[in-house]
């Protein structure tokens, strides 16, 4: 009898967990980013990314992929290259320094409503015997220059298999695979995948004032952002 | 009879063409052209050639701004071009583009005013 009761409780707990697990996937943009809809920033200053990856050039390359998708989501985006150069002229060389600056300064100098911080967590190729894969992983947040509140935050990872297609069975097929993996790895164009990672990342941002969905996308579900490729 | 047969043949073709036509029409909010690619190419391998290509892609994005949903020049593009002019020793071209940026996007006014002032100050000293 006790066992039956325990069993019933266990089933109930399991069902509750399942339901709450499902419910989490149906978060709307308004649920996820209420501060964004409250503050309604018009302009975003994208700062040079913080590079935590092992590739020294990742920062420069990644920078070229930010401006376009951010603008296409409806915000005024300050010219990335110019901003970065001017910060250097003002004596701020390190991104670390830039990330410690009081947010009010960005409004004072540029008139930016919000700042976009990005961290490159991973930007590398992992070599394996038969195949190799490429991973670009980005963490980003938008913070208000007026209230210092976090308005939006997201992480995006893109992994691409560079192993090439099916090359048939047998030793010849295996050798072909190794060769294809080596060639693909050498010519791997990270930026292409950084673009993909970025588009996924930035697609969760509520639409800005220049977008037709401005203020109309609160009810849109974010969907399952994890597990994509 | 003959005509209707022709119409029967032509109609699907016409429909197909009109669909293709729809697909080809601009879908994006702005027309960036190949700005993104030439920006990356310039970062990857900075040369006079890649710099010129980047400048041309900016000029083209501005020229063909009409081929987009908004019909507007993308945010920051006038400023980007102005900055290129500034670096290549054309301060007047730079200032006029900074002013255009401000007029299309008032959000940039504070930044553009600051830059214009800076350029004018440096130019004044040179004269």
């Amino acid at each position: 009898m006790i066992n039956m009761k325990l069993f019933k409780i266990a089933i109930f707990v399991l069902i509750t967990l399942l339901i709450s697990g499902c419910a989490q996937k149906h978060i709307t943009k308004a649920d996820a980013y209420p501060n964004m809809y409250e503050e309604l920033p018009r302009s975003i200053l994208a700062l040079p990314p913080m590079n935590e990856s092992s590739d020294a050039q990742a920062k420069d390359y990644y920078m070229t992929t930010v401006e376009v998708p951010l603008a296409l989501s409806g915000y005024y985006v300050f010219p990335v290259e110019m901003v970065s150069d001017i910060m250097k002229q003002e004596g701020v060389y390190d991104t670390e320094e830039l990330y410690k600056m009081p947010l009010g300064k960005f409004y004072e100098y540029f008139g930016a409503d919000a700042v976009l911080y990005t961290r490159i967590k991973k930007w590398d190729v992992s070599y394996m015997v038969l195949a190799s894969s490429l991973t670009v992983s980005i963490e980003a947040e938008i913070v208000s220059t007026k209230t210092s509140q976090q308005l939006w935050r997201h992480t995006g990872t893109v992994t691409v298999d560079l192993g090439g297609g099916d090359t048939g069975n047998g030793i010849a097929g295996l050798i072909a695979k190794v060769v294809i993996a080596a060639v693909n790895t050498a010519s791997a164009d990270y930026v292409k995948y950084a673009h993909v990672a970025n588009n996924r990342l930035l697609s969760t941002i509520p639409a800005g004032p220049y977008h037709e969905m401005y203020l109309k996308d609160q009810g849109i579900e974010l969907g399952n952002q994890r597990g994509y490729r | 009879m003959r005509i209707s047969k022709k119409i029967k043949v032509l109609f699907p073709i016409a429909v197909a063409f009109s669909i293709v036509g729809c697909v080809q029409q601009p879908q994006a909010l702005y027309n960036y052209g190949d700005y993104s690619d030439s920006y990356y190419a310039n970062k990857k391998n900075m040369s006079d050639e890649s710099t010129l290509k980047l400048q041309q892609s900016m000029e083209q994005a501005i020229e063909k701004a009409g081929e987009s949903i908004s019909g507007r020049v993308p945010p920051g593009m006038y400023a980007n071009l102005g900055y290129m002019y500034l670096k290549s020793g054309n301060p007047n071209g730079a200032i006029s583009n900074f002013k255009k940026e401000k007029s299309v996007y008032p959000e940039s006014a504070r930044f553009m005013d600051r830059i214009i002032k800076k350029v004018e100050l440096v130019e004044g000293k040179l004269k």
Side-chain angles (χ1 to χ4, degrees):
Chain A
M1 260 331 224
I2 292 166
N3 271 352
M4 197 60 197
K5 223 178 192 178
L6 267 178
F7 182 71
K8 272 186 183 165
I9 290 170
I11 291 283
F12 179 75
V13 169
L14 207 78
I15 289 172
T16 316
L17 278 180
L18 274 177
I19 291 171
S20 61
C22 291
Q24 272 179 350
K25 282 180 189 166
H26 297 289
I27 290 173
T28 63
K29 285 195 174 186
D31 294 335
Y33 311 116
N35 294 343
M36 199 81 176
Y37 291 100
E38 201 175 294
E39 281 212 17
L40 298 174
R42 296 186 61 85
S43 61
I44 297 176
L45 185 81
L47 292 177
M50 187 103 91
N51 189 10
E52 294 173 8
S53 81
S54 50
D55 190 322
Q57 285 172 313
K59 181 175 166 171
D60 270 354
Y61 292 166
Y62 181 76
M63 254 180 75
T64 68
T65 70
V66 181
E67 206 168 341
V68 173
L70 203 55
L72 289 177
S73 59
Y75 292 92
Y76 177 74
V77 185
F78 291 86
V80 169
E81 190 75 18
M82 202 174 155
V83 168
S84 148
D85 280 4
I86 276 161
M87 294 314 247
K88 278 180 200 157
Q89 281 170 26
E90 297 284 319
V92 190
Y93 289 97
D94 294 326
T95 313
E96 280 80 2
E97 261 176 80
L98 210 51
Y99 281 36
K100 279 183 210 147
M101 284 246 286
L103 282 149
K105 287 269 177 216
F106 296 113
Y107 181 73
E108 210 182 290
Y109 197 102
F110 296 97
D113 294 335
V115 171
L116 172 76
Y117 297 106
T118 24
R119 280 169 204 88
I120 304 170
K121 310 294 279 186
K122 231 182 198 180
W123 183 279
D124 58 22
V125 177
S126 29
Y127 299 90
M128 283 170 267
V129 180
L130 292 183
S132 53
S133 71
L134 184 149
T135 305
V136 174
S137 183
I138 309 290
E139 200 178 273
E141 62 177 328
I142 294 175
V143 184
S144 161
T145 58
K146 286 161 188 164
T147 60
S148 300
Q149 278 201 89
Q150 187 188 80
L151 305 179
W152 172 89
R153 180 193 174 83
H154 206 76
T155 306
T157 302
V158 172
T159 304
V160 183
D161 181 11
L162 301 173
D166 193 15
T167 45
N169 297 320
I171 300 291
L174 282 181
I175 292 169
K177 260 198 168 173
V178 174
V179 172
I180 290 170
V183 170
N184 282 358
T185 306
S187 63
D189 208 342
Y190 289 95
V191 163
K192 195 172 146 198
Y193 303 111
H195 273 295
V196 176
N198 250 351
N199 288 343
R200 283 176 187 167
L201 184 77
L202 299 177
S203 69
T204 68
I205 296 183
Y210 290 106
H211 198 280
E212 56 173 358
M213 288 302 283
Y214 185 51
L215 299 176
K216 291 180 203 156
D217 59 357
Q218 276 117 310
I220 289 179
E221 284 170 14
L222 283 179
N224 186 6
Q225 301 288 341
R226 271 176 295 169
Y228 51 58
R229 279 195 62 188
Chain B
M1 261 324 236
R2 257 197 172 169
I3 291 168
S4 78
K5 233 182 193 174
K6 259 189 184 165
I7 287 174
K8 264 186 190 167
V9 174
L10 284 176
F11 188 69
I13 294 173
V15 169
F17 265 102
S18 69
I19 290 170
V20 171
C22 287
V23 171
Q24 279 177 341
Q25 255 170 36
Q27 303 257 322
L29 185 57
Y30 308 108
N31 179 25
Y32 274 96
D34 58 5
Y35 164 72
S36 224
D37 290 335
S38 31
Y39 184 10
Y40 172 51
N42 186 240
K43 272 272 173 202
K44 203 172 177 183
N45 187 8
M46 210 174 274
S47 65
D48 287 349
E49 197 189 337
S50 69
T51 305
L52 182 68
K53 183 117 201 311
L54 177 57
Q55 184 176 323
Q56 283 167 346
S57 73
M58 287 171 182
E59 284 164 343
Q60 214 156 63
I62 290 168
E63 207 176 290
K64 296 188 173 173
E67 297 171 14
S68 67
I69 288 175
S70 66
R72 239 179 294 111
V73 168
M77 200 53 80
Y78 277 127
N80 279 326
L81 184 62
Y83 188 51
M84 288 214 100
Y85 285 161
L86 188 65
K87 284 196 282 193
S88 64
N90 176 4
N92 292 331
I95 290 175
S96 88
N97 274 287
F98 294 152
K99 283 182 177 162
K100 279 180 199 162
E101 177 81 20
K102 203 172 89 166
S103 73
V104 181
Y105 295 103
E107 292 89 347
S108 71
R110 193 181 278 244
F111 183 35
M112 289 300 114
D113 283 342
R114 192 179 278 265
I115 295 300
I116 291 167
K117 230 185 202 172
K118 228 177 187 176
V119 176
E120 283 173 342
L121 204 74
V122 171
E123 284 308 299
K125 272 182 191 163
L126 288 178
K127 270 170 198 167

